[in-house]
Amino acid sequence: MVAAAIPQFRPGGQPAHHLSEELLLAYATGGLSEAVALVAAAHLTLCPSCRAELARAQAIGGALVEATPPVAMQAGALDRLLARLDQPAPPAEERLTAGSRDRDIPGPLRAYLPADAENLPWRKVIAGLYEYKLDLPGHQGMASLLRIIPGKAMPQHTHRGHEMTLVLRGDFDDKTGHYGAGDLALTDDTVDHQPVAGAHADCIALAVTDAPLKLTGTFGRLLNPFIRF
Amino acid sequence: MDPTSPDTTRDLFADLVAAIAAGRDRAAFVKLFEHFAPRVKSYLMRLGCQAAEADELAQESLLAVWQKAATFDRRQSAVSTWLFTIARNKRIDAIRRARRPELDPEDPALVPATPEQADQILQAAQSARQLHTAIAGLPEDQRELLVLAFFQEKSHSDIAVATGLPLGTVKSRIRLAMQRLRAVIEER
Ligand SMILES: [Zn+2]
């Protein structure tokens, strides 16, 4: 039995596991689906290092727009626009007033939650593992908040596509490393893993896949029909 | 003075935005429109918009500049970068009804940057002019892939299929181009 890894405390509580360069670039250009953009925006809220990366990508995007060969606007476009300048501006975009007031849950995610994490209508998946499905119409894979009681192992599984798991509270370990609040675990179909929640507190994580999960362990095969991951 | 003059480090477009914020300066708006609208339109067409829609969204983007001029912070971004994100959002909103999850700089959950990271963000914001010059100087193959990655929202594997290049080559060229531009930002 291997002793539990000692959680690594990081300066300023900043994440150690980040968005990939490709995901960051796609977030900057607006190329991500709603579900993946949600994970990215939530990680960015918790990660100044990725925010600095984003600032660089956006500056490069701006410079590329600047460098792009101009295409003439339609005749009269400027006049039509000038005529609209004196119209009253539309009211500032409404802040989504979500039910969650948790100050440690990133704002982009709070907008999807009807209540504080404690009071969400959690659905029991198996003993010790609870799920709250986010309302993301049209999303093909999984997009859920997961809550795992201390020390609980998730069913072993692989993925047909990519899985992104962003830790919000608590921590978990799997064979790829230790993940604490703000850390983003990215796995694909080459990884067969079994995350285990840390011993001291519930682990709450945002989990998004771009394809349904495939459970692999014995436990998983038994449960597969019931877990509509 | 020509705001596009490459030898100045001051973002003179930001002066035009400031003039709009301070005094609803229509002449300043016209200058911004004439420089940026045709470029934003071109960018939107590269993203796959039809010409008429790109024209429409470019107008909406410039209108947003007029309406939100007071919220623009020249220390945090160049005008070109600001317009890049405005146009990107206008397009996402036009093509899908889904919500657009977005980082909120005022979020109480925001983990604060260290002073060093805050510096890095400012450095990026203030390097627009140098980036423009550096992009013009990139080898053609790197610039083309960077434009594909940025403007056509293609994943690295999509780009590999579209260009017939091996995935590894695509990844390494994009990384090289990004490293070169990053170096420009960090030299500042
Ligand atoms: Zn990060």
Side-chain angles (χ1 to χ4, degrees):
Chain A
M1 183 77 194
V2 182
I6 297 160
Q8 290 178 11
F9 294 102
R10 296 174 289 270
Q14 295 199 7
H17 299 277
H18 300 283
L19 287 165
S20 66
E21 208 171 313
E22 191 175 1
L23 280 169
L24 197 95
L25 199 59
Y27 177 82
T29 58
L32 295 177
S33 71
E34 182 183 357
V36 179
L38 172 60
V39 178
H43 176 75
L44 284 160
T45 304
L46 304 174
C47 185
S49 153
C50 283
R51 290 206 297 276
E53 241 3 278
L54 178 68
R56 294 187 191 106
Q58 286 179 332
I60 293 168
L64 283 168
V65 170
E66 184 85 66
T68 202
V71 174
M73 295 291 285
Q74 284 171 2
L78 176 57
D79 289 336
R80 284 198 298 280
L81 195 50
L82 286 173
R84 292 172 65 193
L85 294 187
D86 294 325
Q87 291 171 4
E93 277 167 48
E94 266 177 69
R95 293 266 153 168
L96 288 160
T97 46
S100 168
R101 291 183 311 273
D102 289 327
R103 290 178 70 85
D104 62 336
I105 305 283
L109 175 59
R110 280 199 308 277
Y112 288 82
L113 304 178
D116 291 351
E118 289 304 319
N119 299 312
L120 283 176
W122 292 101
R123 184 180 70 87
K124 181 174 161 187
V125 179
I126 52 174
L129 169 63
Y130 303 85
E131 179 186 19
Y132 173 76
K133 289 189 187 206
L134 303 182
D135 181 26
L136 278 142
H139 179 61
Q140 294 296 308
M142 162 189 181
S144 295
L145 229 53
L146 298 180
R147 177 177 187 162
I148 311 153
I149 64 166
K152 176 75 188 176
M154 291 271 290
Q156 191 171 6
H157 60 278
T158 60
H159 319 91
R160 259 178 259 163
H162 297 86
E163 181 188 51
M164 309 173 75
T165 309
L166 175 67
V167 179
L168 301 164
R169 287 185 194 165
D171 58 336
F172 76 78
D173 286 275
D174 71 8
K175 66 181 178 191
T176 67
H178 174 80
Y179 298 86
D183 280 333
L184 182 61
L186 298 171
T187 46
D188 63 18
D189 54 9
T190 62
V191 179
D192 186 338
H193 69 150
Q194 185 175 30
V196 180
H200 302 292
D202 281 9
C203 178
I204 296 182
L206 170 63
V208 165
T209 68
D210 57 8
L213 293 199
K214 198 166 73 187
L215 302 183
T216 48
T218 320
F219 209 34
R221 269 196 300 278
L222 280 171
L223 286 162
N224 218 348
F226 306 105
I227 306 182
R228 286 157 295 115
F229 274 165
Chain B
M1 221 186 204
D2 174 11
T4 60
S5 163
D7 56 14
T8 174
T9 51
R10 184 173 170 82
D11 184 5
L12 296 174
F13 295 120
D15 294 344
L16 298 174
V17 176
I20 293 172
R24 319 308 286 160
D25 185 333
R26 296 169 84 93
F29 179 76
V30 170
K31 281 190 195 148
L32 282 173
F33 179 93
E34 283 174 344
H35 183 77
F36 281 111
R39 287 174 170 81
V40 170
K41 178 176 178 178
S42 168
Y43 157 62
L44 290 164
M45 288 175 70
R46 279 185 177 254
L47 289 181
C49 288
Q50 297 300 306
E53 192 192 11
D55 206 286
E56 182 69 28
L57 293 176
Q59 290 184 48
E60 294 299 322
S61 300
L62 269 295
L63 183 61
V65 165
W66 175 263
Q67 290 167 341
K68 295 179 182 171
T71 68
F72 176 70
D73 180 352
R74 67 189 303 157
R75 289 164 308 165
Q76 296 296 328
S77 117
V79 176
S80 59
T81 308
W82 189 39
L83 258 164
F84 164 72
T85 57
I86 291 175
R88 172 197 73 188
N89 292 348
K90 292 278 174 207
R91 175 170 169 275
I92 297 175
D93 293 344
I95 60 176
R96 64 166 193 239
R97 285 164 152 257
R99 285 186 272 186
R100 176 163 44 70
E102 201 176 11
L103 174 68
D104 174 4
E106 308 295 323
D107 192 336
L110 204 75
V111 170
T114 62
E116 194 187 337
Q117 289 166 327
D119 268 359
Q120 291 171 359
I121 293 172
L122 288 186
Q123 254 180 345
Q126 288 158 8
S127 58
R129 199 57 53 210
Q130 290 80 350
L131 278 173
H132 188 189
T133 314
I135 284 168
L138 279 177
E140 184 61 32
D141 55 347
Q142 284 180 25
R143 185 170 59 223
E144 211 28 61
L145 288 176
L146 197 59
V147 165
L148 280 173
F150 253 97
F151 286 170
Q152 307 204 332
E153 300 186 349
K154 293 204 188 310
S155 72
H156 292 176
S157 5
D158 291 342
I159 294 174
V161 171
T163 57
L165 291 168
L167 181 59
T169 308
V170 168
K171 281 183 187 288
S172 66
R173 283 191 193 164
I174 292 177
R175 192 173 310 125
L176 267 179
M178 291 294 283
Q179 276 168 3
R180 210 176 265 235
L181 297 178
R182 266 182 80 118
V184 169
I185 294 172
E186 282 160 7
E187 265 166 29
R188 269 197 45 80

